[in-house]
Amino acid sequence: MATEKVSSVYDPMAYPPAAVTVDVVLLTIREGVLSVLLVERGEEPFAGAWALPGGFVRPDEDLPDAALREAAEETGLAQLPRHLEQLATYGSPDRDPRMRVVSTAYVGLMANLEEPQAGTDARDARWWPVDDAGGDDGPTLAFDHGRILADGVERARSKLEYTALGTAFVAEPFTISDLRRVYEAVWGVVLEPANFRRKVIGTPGLVLPTGRTFSTGVGRPAELYRRGTAQLLQPAMLRPEQGDRR
Amino acid sequence: MATEKVSSVYDPMAYPPAAVTVDVVLLTIREGVLSVLLVERGEEPFAGAWALPGGFVRPDEDLPDAALREAAEETGLAQLPRHLEQLATYGSPDRDPRMRVVSTAYVGLMANLEEPQAGTDARDARWWPVDDAGGDDGPTLAFDHGRILADGVERARSKLEYTALGTAFVAEPFTISDLRRVYEAVWGVVLEPANFRRKVIGTPGLVLPTGRTFSTGVGRPAELYRRGTAQLLQPAMLRPEQGDRR
DNA sequence: GGAATAGTGTCTGTGAGACAGTATAGG
DNA sequence: CCTATACTGTCTCACAGACACTATTCC
């Protein structure tokens, strides 16, 4: 770590302290669209803009715990993200106009099970399609949250390639087509159902058959699966070259 | 970022400030062995143990700048790392016994061009084989630097698979065999020279021929190359399954 | 020539993509 | 029957790995 720096070891306050915060890029898929949870800011700076849920890390709190706590507090979600991982830390001196704020961002993935509610401080909270965020018809993002969101989405996209995290976006039980639509939504592409199925079924431990089937009312009923224990896809399932980034 | 949290917005000092530091996992290859730059601690805690170079982030300093500055100051290296990227942030409340320290780690890659010197505060600095660090015949690592080092090495290993970063470890001009020995050192495996060469030459823009050759005195002289402009390997060059992690 | 290292040719197996064909449901 | 969705069969191409072979140097 740190802390060498000569005499400063015994006088850390000689360095103006920075605020340490966490922000969470919480992703889900709603109606086939990759969406992110944002909260509306009620105060300056960026009053009226939308922001990633986040806040100060408490004195004896670990960073992932802070991320989970802030996401829950500010959004009213009862469900925990199925997956949470550290994304990156953003610490430009001027990223918050008020003071030096160093923020560690996390990416959370969850199935779309519930609607967010305004958090403890009563601001609005809702899901936004990630492709709208920062656009003309979508929310304006506060601070450098546009950059953080873009990094988080790219992390999710790349993680789907070589891990089993696609299953974090679906509720059990699910069909292979459900899972395929996850990949299509996150990557913004259309996949061959036949090849996708072969890949998923052929990866040991990725999905477990339940023996049950489910019919949407039209077409042949699909077999239902649960998440398996596999963590990695080997070999990876690479996204087609040009995912239609907005 | 952050900063919501009600009244705390206007009273950030209500949260005991954390020290924000950077640490650098600076990697190179010395005599065919992947090695990391460590500095010896002269003070408690962990006096006599070895640590990653690092230190406090200055008030108006960006995080990558702080990482570069600390690496240079503490090691006396004149050469900048050829590549520097953020690794992760470590913020367990008890990772430093003295106070809350949140440290953002960077990974730097460089060709082995010079020896480190003791830094501005006169402690020792040297390269250590990464497989020795934390072992019986190697240095004891301070704080959670063993974990950070392991994460940094894994980052380097995986980045070699799908980026052109292997070339960051060699000085120009270099031979294909030089580059192959980089991969063998980082991954801890032996690669087929024929297949490696085909992969490297067949990746557009990875290496540029110089037209010159170089002889070690025995065997056919090898053609010399410079780094190209390619950033990604596509398709990736996957490491053989069992890199001999120590 | 022999040894050593650099570089080429070529075969084989795996797996992704394309797409035709079959299965099972509701109109 | 038709349509729609789920699932299977199969062909082809790209490419990684294995390994035999050729090239060029020093002794």
Side-chain angles (χ1 to χ4, degrees), chain B residues 162-194:
Chain B
Y162 61 96
T163 71
L165 282 181
T167 59
F169 281 111
V170 292
E172 293 180 318
F174 54 87
T175 68
I176 301 296
S177 291
D178 290 336
L179 189 55
R180 176 171 48 80
R181 281 184 279 267
V182 164
Y183 277 79
E184 291 177 336
V186 175
W187 286 348
V189 298
V190 174
L191 300 176
E192 280 292 323

Side-chain angles (χ1 to χ4, degrees), chain B residues 34-234:
Chain B
L34 181 65
S35 303
V36 60
L37 191 69
L38 298 177
V39 295
E40 192 174 19
R41 287 182 57 83
E43 302 171 349
E44 292 296 339
F46 297 103
W50 293 76
L52 300 170
F56 288 101
V57 178
R58 293 180 175 167
D60 288 309
E61 188 178 43
D62 207 350
L63 299 180
D65 295 336
L68 288 172
R69 176 180 56 75
E70 288 291 346
E73 280 184 7
E74 290 206 284
T75 64
L77 293 180
Q79 191 85 6
L80 286 180
R82 181 157 297 283
H83 174 78
L84 185 79
E85 68 177 46
Q86 196 183 105
L87 174 60
T89 295
Y90 301 83
S92 286
D94 56 354
R95 62 183 293 277
D96 186 313
R98 295 163 298 181
M99 57 184 294
R100 182 73 188 261
V101 176
V102 174
S103 187
T104 298
Y106 282 77
V107 176
L109 310 182
M110 58 192 302
N112 177 37
L113 295 177
E114 54 182 325
E115 287 300 312
Q117 302 174 352
T120 49
D121 42 2
R123 285 166 292 119
D124 196 10
R126 56 160 289 194
W127 294 105
W128 288 91
V130 298
D131 285 350
D132 289 352
D136 294 337
D137 52 348
T140 301
L141 292 183
F143 304 105
D144 54 358
H145 288 194
R147 163 87 190 286
I148 299 176
L149 172 58
D151 290 348
V153 169
E154 176 53 30
R155 173 71 62 90
R157 285 179 171 147
S158 78
K159 277 259 167 170
L160 254 56
E161 293 192 316
Y162 61 96
T163 71
L165 282 181
T167 59
F169 281 111
V170 292
E172 293 180 318
F174 54 87
T175 68
I176 301 296
S177 291
D178 290 336
L179 189 55
R180 176 171 48 80
R181 281 184 279 267
V182 164
Y183 277 79
E184 291 177 336
V186 175
W187 286 348
V189 298
V190 174
L191 300 176
E192 280 292 323
N195 296 332
F196 182 85
R197 175 186 177 80
R198 217 188 327 272
K199 179 71 184 177
V200 170
I201 299 298
T203 299
L206 178 56
V207 297
L208 302 174
T210 64
R212 289 177 296 151
T213 60
F214 175 78
S215 171
T216 58
V218 62
R220 172 174 170 177
E223 295 169 26
L224 287 167
Y225 296 84
R226 289 181 295 113
R227 281 179 279 269
T229 55
Q231 302 290 315
L232 292 177
L233 262 46
Q234 213 165 16

Side-chain angles (χ1 to χ4, degrees), chain A residues 91-127:
Chain A
S92 285
D94 58 352
R95 62 183 292 278
D96 187 314
R98 295 163 297 180
M99 58 184 293
R100 183 73 188 260
V101 177
V102 174
S103 186
T104 298
Y106 282 77
V107 176
L109 311 181
M110 59 191 303
N112 178 37
L113 294 177
E114 54 182 324
E115 288 300 313
Q117 301 174 353
T120 48
D121 43 2
R123 284 166 294 119
D124 196 10
R126 56 160 290 195
W127 295 105

Side-chain angles (χ1 to χ4, degrees), chain B residues 1-24:
Chain B
M1 95 48 240
T3 183
E4 310 318 84
K5 284 288 65 208
V6 195
S7 58
S8 61
V9 171
Y10 297 116
D11 187 15
M13 295 313 175
Y15 290 84
V20 175
T21 65
V22 290
D23 290 307
V24 185

Side-chain angles (χ1 to χ4, degrees), chain A residues 47-188:
Chain A
W50 293 76
L52 301 170
F56 288 102
V57 178
R58 292 179 177 167
D60 287 310
E61 187 178 44
D62 207 349
L63 298 180
D65 296 336
L68 289 171
R69 177 181 55 77
E70 287 290 345
E73 280 185 5
E74 291 205 285
T75 64
L77 293 179
Q79 190 86 6
L80 286 181
R82 180 156 297 283
H83 174 77
L84 185 78
E85 69 177 44
Q86 195 184 106
L87 174 59
T89 295
Y90 300 83
S92 285
D94 58 352
R95 62 183 292 278
D96 187 314
R98 295 163 297 180
M99 58 184 293
R100 183 73 188 260
V101 177
V102 174
S103 186
T104 298
Y106 282 77
V107 176
L109 311 181
M110 59 191 303
N112 178 37
L113 294 177
E114 54 182 324
E115 288 300 313
Q117 301 174 353
T120 48
D121 43 2
R123 284 166 294 119
D124 196 10
R126 56 160 290 195
W127 295 105
W128 288 92
V130 297
D131 285 349
D132 290 353
D136 294 337
D137 53 347
T140 301
L141 292 183
F143 304 104
D144 54 358
H145 288 194
R147 163 87 190 287
I148 299 176
L149 172 58
D151 290 349
V153 169
E154 175 54 30
R155 173 71 62 91
R157 285 181 171 148
S158 78
K159 277 258 168 172
L160 254 56
E161 293 192 316
Y162 61 98
T163 71
L165 282 180
T167 58
F169 281 111
V170 293
E172 291 179 322
F174 53 88
T175 68
I176 301 296
S177 291
D178 290 336
L179 189 55
R180 175 171 48 80
R181 281 184 278 268
V182 164
Y183 276 78
E184 292 177 336
V186 175
W187 287 347

